[in-house]
Amino acid sequence: MYKTERLTSLKSELLDIFMSMEVQEHEQRSRTAAQRHLRARRGIELHGEFKQLTRDIAELPEEDLADDTMH
């Protein structure tokens, strides 16, 4: 009887360790995915900002650009 209880206890302990490792791996994958998404989102935002700046600069008259470089 003692061996059976000990074996059951050991199995339970191993299962707990395994589940703990799975949880940690899942949390790490989730953090990594969130970081990737944030970097991608920021890249898309920067691309839009550069496009908007390019359009804004293109709309300036040439005289305004020349005046700004003299100051």
Side-chain angles (χ1 to χ4, degrees):
M1 183 76 118
Y2 176 73
K3 286 185 179 182
T4 305
E5 290 173 1
R6 178 94 172 121
L7 184 60
T8 303
S9 174
L10 184 60
K11 285 181 182 179
S12 177
E13 204 172 317
L14 287 172
L15 182 59
D16 287 345
I17 291 169
F18 176 74
M19 295 302 289
S20 174
M21 289 170 53
E22 286 291 314
V23 167
Q24 289 172 353
E25 288 175 10
H26 176 71
E27 288 172 351
Q28 181 61 36
R29 283 193 302 270
S30 294
R31 280 192 296 271
T32 302
Q35 290 171 346
R36 265 195 326 270
H37 284 93
L38 285 174
R39 282 194 303 265
R41 180 175 160 191
R42 185 60 188 140
I44 292 167
E45 290 171 351
L46 282 172
H47 179 71
E49 290 172 12
F50 282 124
K51 283 176 69 172
Q52 184 63 44
L53 285 172
T54 302
R55 283 192 296 265
D56 292 346
I57 290 171
E59 294 173 1
L60 291 175
E62 291 295 323
E63 299 119 24
D64 287 351
L65 291 175
D67 291 343
D68 286 343
T69 57
M70 290 183 187
H71 293 113

